[in-house]
């Protein structure tokens, strides 16, 4: 439970706001029933049920987007109903809603919900004792919404930047090991569901340490950047490329196997031989390939590709080795 709250920002916000709403609204709901204001008490109970339902739905399904929208609409329009029933004391309930909508929905959606809630409050008009009070409320509500919009927009931009930094390799611009783990899990699940073939290719630049030692790390970095450019130019947009570590990269290819996969990899090998260069001359790469098997774990899949890469290195480098071919050779190797 604590892990989910730490790793899922929106779920933690929804949970916090849900608990705050329950603690804040429940006493007023009880008080209104005691005072005989059944209508207002009933609205409070409906808001409590809506907020509770949104939190429970988010926890059970992980769908924080829908639950966030639902809770924002319930709380905002519920506040409008409370203001209409109890008069100007109910106006204060809309202010926290104007802010919390920006935590539960995207900024533009929050603006739409806030403007419509304030507009509905004005149209009904039951909560205001005078025109001055009404326009004062409208002005302050718009100021609160504008400030919350600026804060939420900046927060959203910062979160996107942090997510980018956390998932993208800064040198090459491709996804890093963390992103790879997530995408491989998704690919394995997709393969089980759809039956579409998925191939994993680990490629390693041959003699990369020698390039760094003889010509410096700047030259090595340029080779890495050139490698990424060549790979992206010669693979499909749907193919995914990750930096596995150092000079090792991983290609995730969906919907290719057999002769088609061999043709793709042979083309990549020839392209690197022809165009990838360092100050010391042409640069080659070794490839280890594994096609995902039915029911296989991601760890096993990755390990088979890594074993194939090791064999490619041991066979003299600048080789393409398929894991299935290794197993076939091992099965028929004389004892």
């Amino acid at each position: 439970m604590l892990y989910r709250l730490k790793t899922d920002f929106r779920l933690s916000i929804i949970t916090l706001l849900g608990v705050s709403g329950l603690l804040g609204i429940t006493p007023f709901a009880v008080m209104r029933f005691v005072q005989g204001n059944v209508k207002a008490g009933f609205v409070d109970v409906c808001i409590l049920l809506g907020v509770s339902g949104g939190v429970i739905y988010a926890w059970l399904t992980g769908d924080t987007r829908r639950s966030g929208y639902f809770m924002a609409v319930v709380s905002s329009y519920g506040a409008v109903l409370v203001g209409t029933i109890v008069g100007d004391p109910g106006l204060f309930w809309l202010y926290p809603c104007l802010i919390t909508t920006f935590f539960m929905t995207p900024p533009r959606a929050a603006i739409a919900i806030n403007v419509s809630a304030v507009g509905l409050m004005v149209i009904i008009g039951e909560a205001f004792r005078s025109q001055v009070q009404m326009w004062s409320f409208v002005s302050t509500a718009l100021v609160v919404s504008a400030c919350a919009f600026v804060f939420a927009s900046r927060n959203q931009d910062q979160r996107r930047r942090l997510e980018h930094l956390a998932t993208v390799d800064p040198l090459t611009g491709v996804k890093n090991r963390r992103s790879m783990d997530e995408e491989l899990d998704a690919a394995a699940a997709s393969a089980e569901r759809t039956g579409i073939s998925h191939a994993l290719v680990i490629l390693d630049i041959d003699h990369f340490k020698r390039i760094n030692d003889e010509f410096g790390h700047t030259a090595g970095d340029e080779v890495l950047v050139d490698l990424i450019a060549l790979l992206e130019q010669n693979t499909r947009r749907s193919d995914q490329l990750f930096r596995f570590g150092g000079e090792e990269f991983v290609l995730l290819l969906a919907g290719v196997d057999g002769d088609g996969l061999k043709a793709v990899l042979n083309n990549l090998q020839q392209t690197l031989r022809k165009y990838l260069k360092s100050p010391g001359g042409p640069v080659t790469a070794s490839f280890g390939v594994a096609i995902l098997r039915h029911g296989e774990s991601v760890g096993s899949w990755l390990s088979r590709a890594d074993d194939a890469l090791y064999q490619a290195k041991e066979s003299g480098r600048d080789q393409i080795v398929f894991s299935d071919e290794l197993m076939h050779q091992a099965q028929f190797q004389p004892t």
Side-chain angles (χ1 to χ4, degrees), residues 16-31:
L16 176 62
L17 296 178
V19 172
S20 300
L22 291 174
L23 294 176
I25 297 174
T26 301
F28 284 90
V30 174
M31 180 188 71

Side-chain angles (χ1 to χ4, degrees), residues 58-169:
W59 274 95
L60 292 178
T61 66
D63 186 356
T64 56
R65 181 178 176 274
R66 285 190 177 89
S67 57
Y69 273 104
F70 177 75
M71 290 176 64
V73 169
V74 167
S75 58
S76 296
Y77 295 131
V80 172
L81 286 176
V82 170
T84 301
I85 295 171
V86 304
D88 57 355
L91 295 175
F92 296 102
W93 284 106
L94 190 57
Y95 285 105
C97 297
L98 297 175
I99 298 174
T100 55
T101 52
F102 287 95
F103 290 97
M104 294 185 289
T105 63
R108 291 185 179 180
I111 282 290
I113 293 172
N114 286 2
V115 170
S116 61
V118 172
L120 187 60
M121 185 79 84
V122 171
I123 291 172
I124 297 174
E126 295 295 329
F128 307 107
R129 290 177 296 177
S130 66
Q131 289 288 318
V132 173
Q133 185 189 37
M134 182 182 72
W135 291 115
S136 296
F137 167 78
V138 171
S139 300
T140 54
L142 292 178
V143 169
V144 168
S145 296
C147 292
F149 175 79
V150 172
F151 174 80
S153 298
R154 290 181 62 87
N155 182 62
Q156 189 178 64
D157 290 340
Q158 290 173 351
R159 284 184 59 211
R160 287 174 179 169
R161 291 179 184 178
L162 290 174
E163 289 174 358
H164 180 81
L165 291 173
T167 57
V168 174
D169 175 59

Side-chain angles (χ1 to χ4, degrees), residues 288-309:
V289 188
I291 297 176
L292 181 65
R293 297 169 179 164
H294 177 68
E296 184 178 23
S297 69
V298 170
S300 171
W301 186 23
L302 191 60
S303 178
R304 289 195 298 112
D306 197 41
D307 291 341
L309 174 64

